[in-house]
Amino acid sequence: MIVFRLGRIRTPQGPGMVLLLPFIDSFQRVDLRTRAFNVPPCKLASKDGAVLSVGADVQFRIWDPVLSVMTVKDLNTATRMTAQNAMTKALLRRPLREIQMETLKISDQLLLEINDVTRAWGLEVDRVELAVEAVLQPPQDSPAGPSLDSSLQQLALHLLGSSVTSGAGAARLPGPADSLEMVSEVEPSAPHGGARSSPKQPVAEGLLTALKPFLSEALVSQVGACYQFNVVLPSGPQNIYFLDLTAGQGRVGRGVPDVIPDVVVELSEEDLQALLCRELRPLGAYMSGRLKVKGDLAVAMKLEAVLRALK
């Protein structure tokens, strides 16, 4: 029993009979026995794009009753939220196969991460048991280079500053053979031989323009939504692009769409490139905070159909 006399905390009392002064003392009982709770199964995305239903069982006990009363108001809720956040972060960093094969190792790591937070509350977690209830969606194909269309490969290399050109007989910039030159989008690179006056096309604009050959009426009927992309550039400002899949064969371009977009997506230029090159899944990007959605989340996840069209 934790006793407060005129608001000042006293030494923990009990177990047994404790004398209290009416109207002067107030108290709070603390259970020092080992208790348990379960983290309800929730949908989480793994590193390779698989969607899992995962829960956990947690056993804990209070080792310092004074800290448990003084440092946190609702100890049970705070411990549950800490366990759920630690589980989410741990699974986002691992592929499905590792989660299934190393469940005990992940549980031990969760135990350490939760204790790092809860020890300051006078609480210690004794055991964490991770439970994979079901695999709701299998992992996506690994984004290997040969699986992408050859034109997209050439476009990606060009936008990253590769010296390789897709046209036959095109002039090469002077430099060592098979070299890859990284070009900054903010500051133009020094000219090789002669000065070039034309500015470099932004990576995001080039990648979205590459979607045009893949737009079709079938894709429009499957998705049926208009998207606005607020792409954050490395230098700080935003560029706005749109993907309209509501009529005809669909349209893609720069600027605000003619119609009110169903979903506004905000992400960095690097993450947009990873999405279109199938190195990042929309659901995994959203759950990790790399993709921010304003609007219907289910409509935003239909971008998966657009990515499948790039195969």
Side-chain angles (χ1 to χ4, degrees):
M1 180 180 294
I2 304 299
V3 179
F4 296 88
R5 177 160 294 174
L6 296 177
R8 184 183 297 274
I9 194 168
R10 302 185 64 200
T11 305
Q13 307 293 317
M17 183 178 295
V18 178
L19 298 178
L20 300 175
L21 300 179
F23 309 109
I24 294 178
D25 292 343
S26 60
F27 67 93
Q28 182 172 338
R29 291 189 178 94
V30 179
D31 191 348
L32 300 181
R33 295 174 294 182
T34 298
R35 288 177 284 173
F37 67 86
N38 70 306
V39 179
C42 54
K43 295 181 181 179
L44 298 176
S46 61
K47 184 179 180 180
D48 53 1
V51 179
L52 314 172
S53 176
V54 186
D57 295 325
V58 181
Q59 294 182 0
F60 68 96
R61 62 183 179 86
I62 294 175
W63 63 273
D64 190 324
V66 175
L67 285 177
S68 70
V69 173
M70 297 294 294
T71 57
V72 62
K73 182 176 181 180
D74 191 339
L75 188 64
N76 291 331
T77 301
T79 308
R80 287 175 185 269
M81 294 299 297
T82 302
Q84 187 167 3
N85 291 339
M87 182 179 69
T88 301
K89 292 179 181 178
L91 297 185
L92 283 175
R93 298 192 299 261
R94 292 174 169 84
L96 174 62
R97 183 174 181 83
E98 182 179 346
I99 294 173
Q100 292 176 327
M101 298 295 293
E102 300 184 0
T103 304
L104 294 178
K105 181 179 178 181
I106 298 175
S107 298
D108 293 339
Q109 182 178 351
L110 287 176
L111 178 67
L112 297 176
E113 292 181 358
I114 297 173
N115 273 328
D116 287 342
V117 178
T118 59
R119 280 199 182 97
W121 303 340
L123 182 145
E124 184 175 5
V125 176
D126 295 328
R127 180 170 173 268
V128 176
E129 183 176 348
L130 194 67
V132 180
E133 302 289 338
V135 179
L136 304 179
Q137 177 180 319
Q140 304 295 331
D141 298 333
S142 59
S147 64
L148 294 175
D149 187 83
S150 59
S151 61
L152 283 179
Q153 290 181 11
Q154 294 175 4
L155 176 64
L157 289 175
H158 172 70
L159 293 173
L160 288 173
S162 173
S163 60
V164 181
T165 57
S166 58
R172 288 177 176 265
L173 296 177
D178 299 330
S179 64
L180 183 65
E181 179 186 1
M182 303 304 293
V183 179
S184 171
E185 295 179 21
V186 182
E187 300 179 358
S189 60
H192 297 271
R196 294 188 300 175
S197 59
S198 60
K200 179 176 170 59
Q201 185 186 38
V203 174
E205 185 170 346
L207 289 173
L208 287 171
T209 304
L211 288 175
K212 289 184 179 179
F214 300 95
L215 301 182
S216 63
E217 294 182 359
L219 188 60
V220 170
S221 62
Q222 183 178 0
V223 178
C226 180
Y227 300 90
Q228 176 178 318
F229 296 90
N230 295 341
V231 181
V232 181
L233 301 180
S235 56
Q238 287 186 355
N239 279 349
I240 299 178
Y241 304 90
F242 70 89
L243 175 61
D244 188 359
L245 297 176
T246 57
Q249 292 190 342
R251 296 184 304 119
V252 62
R254 185 171 184 174
V256 179
D258 299 333
V259 298
I260 299 176
D262 299 289
V263 174
V264 177
V265 178
E266 182 175 331
L267 73 171
S268 67
E269 193 174 54
E270 180 182 358
D271 291 336
L272 175 64
Q273 181 179 345
L275 277 175
L276 295 180
C277 293
R278 298 181 63 82
E279 297 174 0
L280 183 66
R281 317 307 307 169
L283 181 59
Y286 172 75
M287 298 192 68
S288 61
R290 298 167 64 178
L291 184 145
K292 298 178 182 178
V293 176
K294 295 180 182 178
D296 192 345
L297 180 60
V299 176
M301 293 301 107
K302 287 185 179 181
L303 284 172
E304 184 68 34
V306 180
L307 300 180
R308 284 198 297 267
L310 298 179
K311 265 192 161 184

